[in-house]
Amino acid sequence: MTTVKTTYLGDLRTENIHLQSGNKIYTDAPVDNQGKGEAFSPTDLMATSFGSCIMTIMGIVARDNNIDIVGTELNITKIMAADPRRVDEVVAEFIFPDKAYTDDEKKIIESVAGTSPVPLSVSPNMKQSIKIIWPK
């Protein structure tokens, strides 16, 4: 069964429809690759998927262990390489809210950080940097 239907709109832009929900995401080539940079680039979405997938798995393990991570924020940095043009590194920095996490809760969350489907599916040539910042 098809998951996403993509249509090329011209000017290096695509419309992507998630068929189950009907939600749409547009992509645009970045300015440094002949685009307008007016929407996520395909590599931006890949980096976003990387971080979002990790956060989703953290959410599952948190829910299963009654750990409240609501409000956790994620900063994603995508670093490109040339020749060939590709994503060289994704830095995912998770910033947990000011809650009284125990050492055991932190270990539970940290234990799943690199075990989600997207990090396990990308090229081993792409560096994966996962940083977790807990409240002081």
Side-chain angles (χ1 to χ4, degrees):
M1 179 196 262
T2 303
T3 304
V4 176
K5 179 181 178 185
T6 299
T7 303
Y8 182 69
L9 302 176
D11 287 333
L12 309 180
R13 179 168 288 215
T14 68
E15 176 187 71
N16 306 273
I17 303 172
H18 181 252
L19 295 179
Q20 183 175 346
S21 67
N23 287 330
K24 295 179 183 180
I25 295 175
Y26 293 89
T27 67
D28 193 16
V31 174
D32 67 349
N33 197 27
Q34 304 177 37
K36 297 178 183 177
E38 294 175 345
F40 284 96
S41 73
T43 55
D44 290 341
L45 287 180
M46 191 280 305
T48 301
S49 293
F50 175 87
S52 180
C53 190
I54 295 169
M55 188 172 275
T56 300
I57 297 299
M58 287 177 172
I60 291 169
V61 75
R63 182 191 60 202
D64 291 348
N65 289 278
N66 296 313
I67 304 168
D68 181 6
I69 66 166
V70 172
T72 299
E73 296 180 353
L74 169 59
N75 294 321
I76 300 167
T77 304
K78 175 191 75 173
I79 301 166
M80 297 295 291
D83 205 19
R85 186 172 170 81
R86 63 183 173 80
V87 177
D88 188 49
E89 179 179 4
V90 175
V91 179
E93 180 183 69
F94 296 86
I95 304 161
F96 284 80
D98 192 12
K99 299 178 183 177
Y101 296 104
T102 67
D103 288 341
D104 285 342
E105 289 172 332
K106 292 176 185 178
K107 286 178 189 174
I108 289 168
I109 299 299
E110 290 173 355
S111 73
V112 298
T115 65
S116 57
V118 174
L120 294 174
S121 298
V122 296
S123 170
N125 295 328
M126 186 189 86
K127 184 176 178 188
Q128 301 180 23
S129 299
I130 300 170
K131 300 175 182 179
I132 298 177
I133 301 171
W134 296 103
K136 300 210 185 268

